[in-house]
Amino acid sequence: MPLPEGRGEAAPPRSNQERLSMSQAVRIQVTDEEKQWLFALVRSTVERGLAGLPPLAEGELPEAPEGALRERLGAFVTLRRQGELRGCIGLMRPMLPLYQTVAAMARAAAFEDPRFRPLAAAEWPEVDFDISILGPTSPCPDIDLIELGRHGLMLEARGRTAVFLPQVPVEQGWSVKGTLEQLCRKASLPPGTWRDRTAVIYWYEATVIHP
């Protein structure tokens, strides 16, 4: 995907009210019923993979209830075993209904994360998971508006992309600028690349749910 155009010339100063308004990203709301439905979907998807079965085709997935699960939304599925990361894969840009994205990302997190060997059946009872449902992604107007723990961040620069979920900087104890440097590192870019005029920092909010 082509990178967005560079930032160009500096925009005129914005009022405090405009800055505050631009900081109001969108967090997706899901009901308790929808949460339980997604949790069951993640479990059945992973267990199907552990049994050596192929993923269900689009038409074979259980029919999701009407509402947020049918909206086109990005999502990440994160697996942890005994508190340690065991897999985390997601899709930032919404291409499918949420429930289809969650099913695909659950299987990918369990068996396709290149940082880990595929999940084994003996590990599954010790694995916890959560689902991050992503709100819309937009260019961050000012890094001073970033609230760690609330805003997730994505860096696109020099043909590379890296993403952190909102909770990651808090878990790691990073500052905002430290997080941006870590995004550069994750994308295999030189330190400070986030300052390039052609680099674009995106932000978003996420609703994180777990059983």
Side-chain angles (χ1 to χ4, degrees):
M1 182 189 68
L3 287 176
E5 295 180 2
R7 293 193 176 99
E9 296 182 0
R14 296 185 175 92
S15 68
N16 290 337
Q17 182 61 38
E18 287 177 314
R19 287 160 59 90
L20 179 61
S21 174
M22 296 177 76
S23 73
Q24 304 304 309
V26 177
R27 182 171 297 178
I28 304 300
Q29 300 297 320
V30 289
T31 66
D32 288 342
E33 178 187 358
E34 290 168 335
K35 292 176 184 178
Q36 295 304 319
W37 199 95
L38 288 175
F39 299 153
L41 179 63
V42 169
R43 293 188 186 100
S44 63
T45 298
V46 173
E47 288 166 4
R48 183 176 176 85
L50 291 172
L53 299 173
L56 292 174
E58 178 180 337
E60 299 174 321
L61 285 170
E63 186 174 354
E66 296 289 343
L69 303 193
R70 293 176 179 264
E71 295 182 21
R72 293 182 181 273
L73 298 168
F76 276 70
V77 175
T78 302
L79 308 181
R80 291 184 176 84
R81 183 187 179 205
Q82 299 180 342
E84 297 295 325
L85 184 65
R86 187 60 182 80
C88 181
I89 299 288
L91 184 66
M92 290 293 301
R93 301 261 164 60
M95 299 168 57
L96 299 168
L98 175 61
Y99 76 99
Q100 294 180 22
T101 298
V102 168
M105 297 306 103
R107 189 174 182 100
F111 307 111
E112 299 169 15
D113 189 327
R115 298 169 293 180
F116 304 96
R117 67 183 186 281
L119 187 71
E123 297 177 277
W124 181 230
E126 300 177 330
V127 172
D128 298 313
F129 66 87
D130 61 55
I131 303 166
S132 297
I133 303 168
L134 309 186
T137 301
S138 60
C140 176
D142 185 340
I143 66 169
D144 289 336
L145 296 175
I146 294 171
E147 297 178 32
L148 298 179
R150 174 186 175 187
H151 295 120
L153 298 173
M154 178 171 72
L155 172 68
E156 286 188 350
R158 304 185 189 182
R160 295 180 178 271
T161 303
V163 178
F164 285 135
L165 293 171
Q167 59 268 35
V168 171
V170 176
E171 293 171 350
Q172 300 299 322
W174 298 333
S175 64
V176 170
K177 290 184 178 179
T179 300
L180 296 174
E181 291 293 347
Q182 290 295 330
L183 281 170
C184 294
R185 181 179 180 182
K186 187 175 183 180
S188 300
L189 292 166
T193 302
W194 61 272
R195 299 177 185 272
D196 288 2
R197 290 179 61 83
T198 55
V200 183
I201 300 165
Y202 294 90
W203 66 353
Y204 61 94
E205 288 198 45
T207 299
V208 182
I209 60 175
H210 51 81

